[in-house]
Amino acid sequence: MSHPAPSCASVRRSERLGTPVVKRGAHWWLVSQSGSLLASDPAFTGELQRFATVLAAADRAVAGIRAQGRAAHKAQP
């Protein structure tokens, strides 16, 4: 299935990497107020994928630490 070029207004916060880049389906897009550009360089998109994978792992680790802290706080008398 083809994915249309995203616009800044259509990009959900959960799709962003904290940068003007978004992944829709299997494609990475550079997104700005003036438009979108499909990222097609395999080296660049590979780095984006690695960054997204590491960022997701860090987010899961932080969520786990926060959950442990909440559990420890609830366990205190």
Side-chain angles (χ1 to χ4, degrees):
M1 178 176 148
S2 172
H3 292 277
S7 68
C8 280
S10 72
V11 177
R12 295 185 307 268
R13 183 176 175 96
S14 63
E15 293 180 306
R16 294 182 187 264
L17 289 177
T19 62
V21 65
V22 63
K23 186 172 186 185
R24 289 274 174 95
H27 302 285
W28 286 98
W29 295 85
L30 304 175
V31 182
S32 73
Q33 293 293 334
S34 59
S36 302
L37 176 67
L38 178 63
S40 59
D41 177 38
F44 181 62
T45 57
E47 286 300 316
L48 287 173
Q49 187 61 49
R50 282 186 280 286
F51 178 68
T53 300
V54 170
L55 187 60
D59 286 345
R60 286 190 300 274
V62 169
I65 291 167
R66 288 181 175 160
Q68 289 174 352
R70 285 191 297 271
H73 182 70
K74 285 182 181 181
Q76 292 178 351

